[in-house]
mmCIF file of all heavy atoms in Angstrom:
data_model
loop_
_atom_site.group_PDB
_atom_site.id
_atom_site.type_symbol
_atom_site.label_atom_id
_atom_site.label_comp_id
_atom_site.label_asym_id
_atom_site.label_seq_id
_atom_site.Cartn_x
_atom_site.Cartn_y
_atom_site.Cartn_z
ATOM 1 N N LEU A 96 -5.178 -35.016 -13.387
ATOM 2 C CA LEU A 96 -4.075 -34.770 -12.469
ATOM 3 C C LEU A 96 -3.783 -33.271 -12.415
ATOM 4 O O LEU A 96 -3.440 -32.671 -13.434
ATOM 5 C CB LEU A 96 -2.805 -35.498 -12.931
ATOM 6 C CG LEU A 96 -2.625 -36.952 -12.535
ATOM 7 C CD1 LEU A 96 -3.606 -37.821 -13.316
ATOM 8 C CD2 LEU A 96 -1.206 -37.400 -12.813
ATOM 9 N N PRO A 97 -3.912 -32.640 -11.235
ATOM 10 C CA PRO A 97 -3.499 -31.240 -11.114
ATOM 11 C C PRO A 97 -1.980 -31.146 -11.072
ATOM 12 O O PRO A 97 -1.309 -31.955 -10.421
ATOM 13 C CB PRO A 97 -4.128 -30.805 -9.785
ATOM 14 C CG PRO A 97 -4.325 -32.064 -9.008
ATOM 15 C CD PRO A 97 -4.525 -33.162 -10.002
ATOM 16 N N VAL A 98 -1.441 -30.166 -11.785
ATOM 17 C CA VAL A 98 0.013 -29.996 -11.874
ATOM 18 C C VAL A 98 0.348 -28.522 -11.667
ATOM 19 O O VAL A 98 -0.284 -27.645 -12.260
ATOM 20 C CB VAL A 98 0.544 -30.449 -13.249
ATOM 21 C CG1 VAL A 98 2.076 -30.436 -13.250
ATOM 22 C CG2 VAL A 98 0.022 -31.820 -13.614
ATOM 23 N N ASP A 99 1.334 -28.251 -10.818
ATOM 24 C CA ASP A 99 1.754 -26.872 -10.595
ATOM 25 C C ASP A 99 2.388 -26.293 -11.864
ATOM 26 O O ASP A 99 2.968 -27.023 -12.683
ATOM 27 C CB ASP A 99 2.778 -26.798 -9.459
ATOM 28 C CG ASP A 99 2.183 -27.130 -8.107
ATOM 29 O OD1 ASP A 99 0.946 -27.065 -7.970
ATOM 30 O OD2 ASP A 99 2.957 -27.466 -7.186
ATOM 31 N N LEU A 100 2.270 -24.998 -12.019
ATOM 32 C CA LEU A 100 2.882 -24.310 -13.149
ATOM 33 C C LEU A 100 4.364 -24.651 -13.241
ATOM 34 O O LEU A 100 5.088 -24.640 -12.235
ATOM 35 C CB LEU A 100 2.717 -22.796 -12.979
ATOM 36 C CG LEU A 100 3.434 -21.897 -13.990
ATOM 37 C CD1 LEU A 100 2.825 -22.059 -15.374
ATOM 38 C CD2 LEU A 100 3.381 -20.445 -13.550
ATOM 39 N N ASN A 101 4.791 -24.995 -14.462
ATOM 40 C CA ASN A 101 6.195 -25.295 -14.788
ATOM 41 C C ASN A 101 6.702 -26.602 -14.189
ATOM 42 O O ASN A 101 7.898 -26.917 -14.319
ATOM 43 C CB ASN A 101 7.122 -24.147 -14.380
ATOM 44 C CG ASN A 101 6.897 -22.910 -15.231
ATOM 45 O OD1 ASN A 101 6.620 -23.012 -16.429
ATOM 46 N ND2 ASN A 101 7.002 -21.734 -14.625
ATOM 47 N N ALA A 102 5.818 -27.371 -13.528
ATOM 48 C CA ALA A 102 6.216 -28.707 -13.068
ATOM 49 C C ALA A 102 6.071 -29.698 -14.224
ATOM 50 O O ALA A 102 5.552 -29.367 -15.293
ATOM 51 C CB ALA A 102 5.363 -29.141 -11.888
ATOM 52 N N THR A 103 6.550 -30.899 -14.033
ATOM 53 C CA THR A 103 6.425 -31.959 -15.038
ATOM 54 C C THR A 103 5.797 -33.193 -14.404
ATOM 55 O O THR A 103 5.781 -33.337 -13.174
ATOM 56 C CB THR A 103 7.788 -32.345 -15.636
ATOM 57 O OG1 THR A 103 8.630 -32.872 -14.597
ATOM 58 C CG2 THR A 103 8.472 -31.142 -16.280
ATOM 59 N N LYS A 104 5.292 -34.072 -15.238
ATOM 60 C CA LYS A 104 4.752 -35.348 -14.785
ATOM 61 C C LYS A 104 5.335 -36.459 -15.664
ATOM 62 O O LYS A 104 5.478 -36.286 -16.887
ATOM 63 C CB LYS A 104 3.227 -35.374 -14.882
ATOM 64 C CG LYS A 104 2.512 -34.542 -13.832
ATOM 65 C CD LYS A 104 2.606 -35.167 -12.451
ATOM 66 C CE LYS A 104 1.818 -34.377 -11.421
ATOM 67 N NZ LYS A 104 1.918 -34.965 -10.074
ATOM 68 N N THR A 105 5.650 -37.581 -15.026
ATOM 69 C CA THR A 105 6.164 -38.737 -15.762
ATOM 70 C C THR A 105 5.140 -39.861 -15.711
ATOM 71 O O THR A 105 4.690 -40.256 -14.632
ATOM 72 C CB THR A 105 7.502 -39.222 -15.174
ATOM 73 O OG1 THR A 105 8.483 -38.186 -15.319
ATOM 74 C CG2 THR A 105 7.992 -40.469 -15.904
ATOM 75 N N PHE A 106 4.776 -40.354 -16.887
ATOM 76 C CA PHE A 106 3.785 -41.422 -17.003
ATOM 77 C C PHE A 106 4.464 -42.705 -17.470
ATOM 78 O O PHE A 106 5.369 -42.674 -18.321
ATOM 79 C CB PHE A 106 2.694 -41.021 -17.996
ATOM 80 C CG PHE A 106 1.885 -39.829 -17.564
ATOM 81 C CD1 PHE A 106 2.287 -38.546 -17.901
ATOM 82 C CD2 PHE A 106 0.742 -39.982 -16.794
ATOM 83 C CE1 PHE A 106 1.557 -37.434 -17.499
ATOM 84 C CE2 PHE A 106 0.008 -38.879 -16.382
ATOM 85 C CZ PHE A 106 0.420 -37.599 -16.741
ATOM 86 N N THR A 107 4.019 -43.817 -16.914
ATOM 87 C CA THR A 107 4.537 -45.139 -17.288
ATOM 88 C C THR A 107 3.416 -45.931 -17.954
ATOM 89 O O THR A 107 2.284 -45.950 -17.464
ATOM 90 C CB THR A 107 5.048 -45.903 -16.049
ATOM 91 O OG1 THR A 107 6.074 -45.129 -15.416
ATOM 92 C CG2 THR A 107 5.620 -47.259 -16.446
ATOM 93 N N PHE A 108 3.744 -46.583 -19.055
ATOM 94 C CA PHE A 108 2.760 -47.354 -19.819
ATOM 95 C C PHE A 108 3.104 -48.837 -19.715
ATOM 96 O O PHE A 108 4.227 -49.253 -19.988
ATOM 97 C CB PHE A 108 2.761 -46.909 -21.279
ATOM 98 C CG PHE A 108 2.711 -45.412 -21.434
ATOM 99 C CD1 PHE A 108 3.795 -44.710 -21.928
ATOM 100 C CD2 PHE A 108 1.591 -44.699 -21.029
ATOM 101 C CE1 PHE A 108 3.770 -43.330 -22.047
ATOM 102 C CE2 PHE A 108 1.543 -43.320 -21.144
ATOM 103 C CZ PHE A 108 2.640 -42.624 -21.658
ATOM 104 N N ILE A 109 2.104 -49.625 -19.294
ATOM 105 C CA ILE A 109 2.313 -51.069 -19.088
ATOM 106 C C ILE A 109 1.313 -51.822 -19.960
ATOM 107 O O ILE A 109 0.154 -52.022 -19.568
ATOM 108 C CB ILE A 109 2.129 -51.441 -17.603
ATOM 109 C CG1 ILE A 109 3.003 -50.537 -16.722
ATOM 110 C CG2 ILE A 109 2.451 -52.911 -17.369
ATOM 111 C CD1 ILE A 109 2.716 -50.665 -15.243
#
Side-chain angles (χ1 to χ4, degrees):
L96 275 71
V98 187
D99 292 341
L100 173 67
N101 292 324
T103 63
K104 287 289 184 181
T105 297
F106 296 89
T107 302
F108 312 112
I109 308 170

